[in-house]
Amino acid sequence: MSGAPLPYWRLSGFYLFYFALLGATAPYLALYFHHLGFVPARIGELVAIPMLMRCVAPNIWGWLGDYTGRRLLIVRCGAACTLLAFSLIFLDKSYAWLALVMALHAFFWHAVLPQFEVITLAHLQGQPGRYSQIRLWGSIGFILAVVLIGRLFEWLSLDIYPMTVVVIMAGIALSTAWVPNAQPAAGGERPAGEGFLGQLRSPGVLAFYVCVALMQLSHGPYYTFLTLHLESLGYSRGLIGMLWALGVVAEVLMFLGMSRILARFSVRRVLLASFLLAALRWLLLGSLAEHLWVLLFAQLLHAATFGSFHASAIHFVQRSFGARQQGQGQALYAALSGTGGALGALYAGYSWNALGPTLTFSIASLAVLAAAIIIATRMQEARP
């Protein structure tokens, strides 16, 4: 790959569609289930199911990708099966059927991104700083989806939501056919003979993964109930879509500057700052979201809670595992993100009515404060 040109737009196109799907689901999936008449506890369970599949599926696909080396085939098959599985939603809208659809499509959806991350990083050999420049197109896809769908729901019924998601999934499947394959270079920073479990036991690596789960757990109330929370405070769906988009604009700007940030500061310091700012963000959303200026500031903090966190986490995983373990390392990152996200959605679903938004978001804040303590005490400082 050293002499091959970087397929920038082909890689970026995939991220555009992939995260457009997240822009269609994160703000609006719970709203759609609420439209169907489900109570918060059932909504929390349905939202948690795809995250629970993220605990299992990436590890299966990650092992298969490392074992066979056919990561692009896994990405293409996963995208096609995601589309087919989600299309089953048109057959029935009962709780049991929706739970099946959520589980089945997520099993394949979560096969896609970790393997594609390995392909992207393989294309970027010698220029890893360009990762954020490619990944920012995912953020742009999220912004386009969240704004346009929010406007669409103001004009039309929420009944069109499943068709909207299917169209975006078709875009993901088509974009994977355009991407050329690439394999990680042999060798790397890690000893070639050291296995995945041995690398996992390296200082700070397990602590990092625990903190990944805590960060995603803290996002439970945000991804599950923020739209419903803001609607109850009197915000319109169009404005709510714009507020979601504002957070991702901040994320895009962070991605643009991450190569310079990581050149100046260690991954440990960037992660620590991300956790501390996340704790502040959840407190603001839970207690002061009725004030628009506070809400605007809280959404700008998405630059830290996702942007700097994700970019530095991907960097940490890449440097912590050898070429033959990259798929498993990325898959474990996705799996523990799913574990934390599922637990966050479940606790939010059960506590939303019982404890209220303020205490629910306060629990999220405590989770990331715990992660900040772990990072500060357990992760070793590394030179930028």
Side-chain angles (χ1 to χ4, degrees), residues 49-346:
I49 288 171
M51 299 179 185
L52 286 170
M53 293 307 298
R54 196 177 175 188
C55 306
V56 178
N59 289 309
I60 296 173
W61 298 112
W63 173 84
L64 188 63
D66 286 342
Y67 181 76
T68 65
R70 306 192 69 179
R71 294 185 176 88
L72 187 58
L73 178 62
I74 291 173
V75 167
R76 289 170 174 168
C77 291
C81 291
T82 298
L83 172 61
L84 293 174
F86 190 84
S87 297
L88 297 174
I89 199 172
F90 295 109
L91 300 180
D92 192 14
K93 299 296 191 297
S94 68
Y95 175 81
W97 186 256
L98 289 173
L100 175 64
V101 171
M102 290 297 103
L104 190 60
H105 95 273
F107 179 77
F108 296 107
W109 188 30
H110 293 315
V112 175
L113 185 61
Q115 300 310 306
F116 198 86
E117 296 275 41
V118 176
I119 294 170
T120 298
L121 293 169
H123 277 294
L124 292 172
Q125 288 168 20
Q127 44 185 335
R130 294 200 68 186
Y131 170 80
S132 294
Q133 298 172 15
I134 292 173
R135 174 58 184 79
L136 71 84
W137 283 97
S139 303
I140 293 171
F142 186 102
I143 292 168
L144 292 173
V146 78
V147 172
L148 293 176
I149 292 173
R151 292 297 183 187
L152 194 63
F153 290 159
E154 288 192 330
W155 300 329
L156 302 172
S157 167
L158 274 162
D159 292 327
I160 67 164
Y161 177 75
M163 181 56 68
T164 305
V165 173
V166 163
V167 169
I168 297 173
M169 287 179 173
I172 297 174
L174 290 173
S175 70
T176 61
W178 196 33
V179 176
N181 199 11
Q183 296 291 345
E189 294 183 32
R190 303 293 309 191
E194 188 179 356
F196 175 71
L197 292 178
Q199 295 172 26
L200 188 61
R201 289 192 292 268
S202 299
V205 175
L206 284 175
F208 161 78
Y209 279 115
V210 170
C211 293
V212 166
L214 287 171
M215 177 62 105
Q216 296 309 315
L217 182 148
S218 79
H219 279 73
Y222 178 73
Y223 284 129
T224 310
F225 291 113
L226 180 67
T227 299
L228 293 172
H229 179 45
L230 297 184
E231 272 200 334
S232 71
L233 294 175
Y235 296 99
S236 68
R237 288 176 183 172
L239 179 57
I240 292 170
M242 295 295 290
L243 287 165
W244 278 90
L246 175 64
V248 186
V249 169
E251 168 193 316
V252 169
L253 296 176
M254 179 60 74
F255 278 135
L256 288 172
M258 276 308 296
S259 60
R260 290 188 294 273
I261 291 172
L262 287 174
R264 183 173 180 181
F265 301 101
S266 68
V267 168
R268 175 177 174 270
R269 290 187 179 183
V270 176
L271 288 172
L272 182 59
S274 300
F275 288 124
L276 292 174
L277 290 172
L280 173 62
R281 187 188 187 196
W282 305 144
L283 289 177
L284 294 176
L285 288 177
S287 303
L288 299 169
E290 66 272 16
H291 303 290
L292 181 59
W293 69 271
V294 174
L295 189 54
L296 292 171
F297 176 68
Q299 287 304 90
L300 290 174
L301 289 178
H302 195 71
T305 61
F306 183 82
S308 62
F309 169 77
H310 178 70
S312 55
I314 290 292
H315 183 79
F316 180 86
V317 172
Q318 184 188 23
R319 82 178 188 197
S320 298
F321 295 94
R324 291 186 60 84
Q325 290 78 33
Q326 283 289 311
Q328 294 173 80
Q330 295 290 352
L332 184 59
Y333 173 68
L336 285 174
S337 295
T339 302
L343 292 175
L346 286 172

